[in-house]
Amino acid sequence: MLKIVIVTPDSDHAEAWARALSGAAEGGQVHAINQALHEVKVLANGSRADLLVAEFTSALDLDALESLANAHPEVEFALVGAEMAPGVLMRAMRAGVREVLPTPTTPEAVAAAVQRIAGKRRAPAAHERNGEVLGFVSCKGGSGATFTAANLAHVLAAGGQRRVALIDLNLQFGDAALFVSNERPRSHVADVAHNIHRLDRDLLQSAMLNVANGLYVLAAPEDPAQATDVTPAHVQAILRMARSMFDFVVIDAGRSLSAVTLQALDLCDRVYAVLQLTLPFIRDGKRLNDVFRSLDYPPHKLHWIVNRCEKNSQITLADLKKAMGMQALSTLPNQYEVVAASVNQGVPVAVVAPNSAITRALRNLAVQIAPLPEKTRGGWLTGLLRGNTAARSIANEPA
C-alpha cells in the first residue's frame, strides 16, 4: 500500500495532482499539503510517506529536499519545478530524486512519473544485481589496457552466462567498443550524462550496444569536446545504476587521472593497472602506485597486469616485483599478430583465436576474478563462440 504526499504552494496543483494520483496509490493514501516544501514538516510523528511529490519554487525548497533525502533514504522523491538549470538537476540527482518534471506540467504527467517510480518499487528483487566494478587503467599510453578491459569483459560474459557492461571512460579518445564490435555505437556516456535527471535501467540499457551474448558496451563520445559534459556525479549515478543491472561492470579508465576517472576508480571493487616490462612503464607504474597509496586504496583492491610479457625480456618479472614492491601480478603473453587481427576485425580475440595463448591467459584471469560453476566450465569455449557470430579463425602462435 503506497502512501503519497504532495507538497506544493499552488492550491490548484495540489487538488489536480491529488485527484490524478489517487489511482497510483494502489489502495493506499494520497495526502496533499498546500505549502512550500521548506515551510512544512513533511515526515514527522510516524506519518512517513513512501513517495513525496514536491514542487520546487526556491533554493530553500531544494535545501529542504536534500535534508529530507539524507534523513530518509527509504523515501522516493519526484520533483516538479520551473527552473531546471543543470545545477538544480545535479543537486536533485545527488539527493536521489527519481523523476524531475518541468512546469508547466499536467496532472497526467505527474501521475505517469509516480507510476514509473511505483513500478520500480514493485520490480522483483531477483532482477536486481549487485555487480562488481572492475577498473582498468594504463600506466602509460600503449600498454594494452583497453584491449585487456574489452576482451576480459567478453570472456567474463561467457557466452551469455553472465551480464557484463563495458563502460569507456577514456572520454576524449576512447575506442573500447572497436575492440569487440565493428558496429557504430548508438549512444555514448555523454548522452547519458545529458539525460541524467531521468536515468533509469531502460535509459542506460538503450544507450548501450549489445555486442555479444551478455556483453553490453557504453561507448565514449565521438567528439572529444564532449568529455567536459561528463562530471564525477554523472559517473557515480551511471555506475550505481550499472551495478544493479550487471554481474560485472568493466571500466576502461584510460591513461589520464581526471576527477571523472578518479571518481570511477574510487567506486571500483578492484583496480587493474596495465604495464609492460620496459623502464618507462615501470617508472610510470611506480608513480601510479604512489597515487593509489595517496588515495588510501587498500592492497586487496590493487592488481597489476604485465602485458606483452616475454620469457627472455631483459627486465624480468622478479625485477618488476622488486622495483614496485609487489608480491603478485598477472601476465598476458606477447602475441602481436593474433591481437592485431582481433583489433583490425573488431572481433574479440577469444573468437578470432580461441586456442591462442592470449585467449588462455584472459580466460585464466577471468577464472581468478569469478570462477564459473563446475557444471558450466566445460561449455565456456562453446559459449564464447556462440556469443559472437562474426567468428573467424587465423593461425595461432604456439603457447
Side-chain angles (χ1 to χ4, degrees):
M1 187 169 65
L2 194 65
K3 183 172 182 179
I4 304 173
V5 172
I6 300 168
V7 180
T8 171
D10 189 310
S11 59
D12 290 338
H13 289 172
E15 181 180 351
W17 295 355
R19 192 164 50 245
L21 291 177
S22 60
E26 299 181 326
Q29 306 173 18
V30 178
H31 177 52
I33 301 175
N34 188 199
Q35 285 182 271
L37 180 60
H38 69 274
E39 295 176 345
V40 61
K41 201 165 188 179
V42 181
L43 309 175
N45 300 325
S47 61
R48 184 173 302 165
D50 297 307
L51 194 156
L52 175 65
V53 179
E55 184 162 13
F56 158 76
T57 58
S58 72
L60 292 175
D61 291 334
L62 198 55
D63 292 339
L65 180 71
E66 289 175 328
S67 297
L68 282 168
N70 290 331
H72 300 282
E74 73 281 2
V75 178
E76 307 281 6
F77 295 90
L79 185 65
V80 181
E83 185 189 347
M84 287 299 161
V88 172
L89 292 175
M90 189 59 60
R91 287 183 65 184
M93 182 271 293
R94 287 172 178 161
V97 173
R98 299 292 295 271
E99 295 279 344
V100 179
L101 299 173
T103 52
T105 190
T106 64
E108 291 76 19
V110 174
V114 169
Q115 289 282 17
R116 286 192 293 270
I117 296 174
K120 291 168 185 173
R121 290 173 62 91
R122 293 193 303 267
H127 291 176
E128 292 291 328
R129 289 172 163 83
N130 185 24
E132 188 171 356
V133 181
L134 312 176
F136 286 77
V137 60
S138 177
C139 291
K140 191 175 184 63
S143 70
T146 298
F147 169 85
T148 304
N151 280 276
L152 181 66
H154 175 257
V155 174
L156 281 170
Q161 295 183 58
R162 300 191 188 97
R163 281 175 56 85
V164 179
L166 173 63
I167 299 180
D168 194 346
L169 290 181
N170 185 2
L171 296 176
Q172 286 191 311
F173 300 104
D175 54 8
L178 298 180
F179 285 73
V180 288
S181 175
N182 53 19
E183 294 184 49
R184 182 183 179 87
R186 66 181 70 123
S187 186
H188 49 70
V189 177
D191 284 339
V192 176
H194 294 156
N195 293 280
I196 203 70
H197 60 284
R198 61 185 188 89
L199 177 64
D200 58 14
R201 296 165 67 92
D202 292 336
L203 187 148
L204 185 56
Q205 185 81 58
S206 67
M208 291 178 151
L209 181 65
N210 183 197
V211 301
N213 287 343
L215 178 59
Y216 299 80
V217 179
L218 181 60
E222 284 287 331
D223 183 357
Q226 289 184 291
T228 57
D229 297 342
V230 182
T231 69
H234 293 146
V235 170
Q236 185 178 40
I238 291 169
L239 292 184
R240 183 173 59 214
M241 183 62 64
R243 271 188 188 273
S244 72
M245 297 168 58
F246 296 92
D247 299 304
F248 288 93
V249 180
V250 179
I251 297 169
D252 179 15
R255 170 69 180 91
S256 62
L257 295 179
S258 65
V260 166
T261 54
L262 285 176
Q263 174 69 90
L265 295 177
D266 284 347
L267 296 172
C268 287
D269 298 291
R270 310 187 206 184
V271 173
Y272 291 84
V274 183
L275 72 165
Q276 297 180 23
L277 286 177
T278 66
L279 284 176
F281 274 100
I282 295 173
R283 180 195 63 183
D284 284 6
K286 293 177 71 174
R287 292 173 173 173
L288 185 60
N289 202 24
D290 289 340
V291 171
F292 290 153
R293 287 193 182 119
S294 71
L295 295 170
D296 292 326
Y297 287 176
H300 64 80
K301 178 171 179 169
L302 302 176
H303 303 266
W304 299 84
I305 298 176
V306 178
N307 190 29
R308 302 191 69 177
C309 186
E310 295 181 300
K311 293 181 180 179
N312 298 322
S313 175
Q314 288 184 335
I315 300 176
T316 67
L317 294 176
D319 294 332
L320 175 62
K321 289 181 180 179
K322 182 178 179 180
M324 298 282 291
M326 63 177 65
Q327 298 299 318
L329 48 79
S330 301
T331 62
L332 298 177
N334 184 18
Q335 283 200 295
Y336 176 79
E337 291 184 6
V338 172
V339 171
S342 166
V343 174
N344 289 336
Q345 295 177 42
V347 178
V349 71
V351 175
V352 170
N355 298 316
S356 64
I358 185 68
T359 297
R360 291 198 299 272
L362 288 165
R363 200 176 303 138
N364 289 338
L365 181 56
V367 168
Q368 292 174 25
I369 294 170
L372 283 170
E374 194 68 36
K375 64 181 181 180
T376 66
R377 286 180 187 169
W380 181 304
L381 185 57
T382 301
L384 288 176
L385 292 172
R386 185 175 62 246
N388 193 315
T389 57
R392 287 188 231 177
S393 295
I394 65 172
N396 297 329
E397 296 182 10

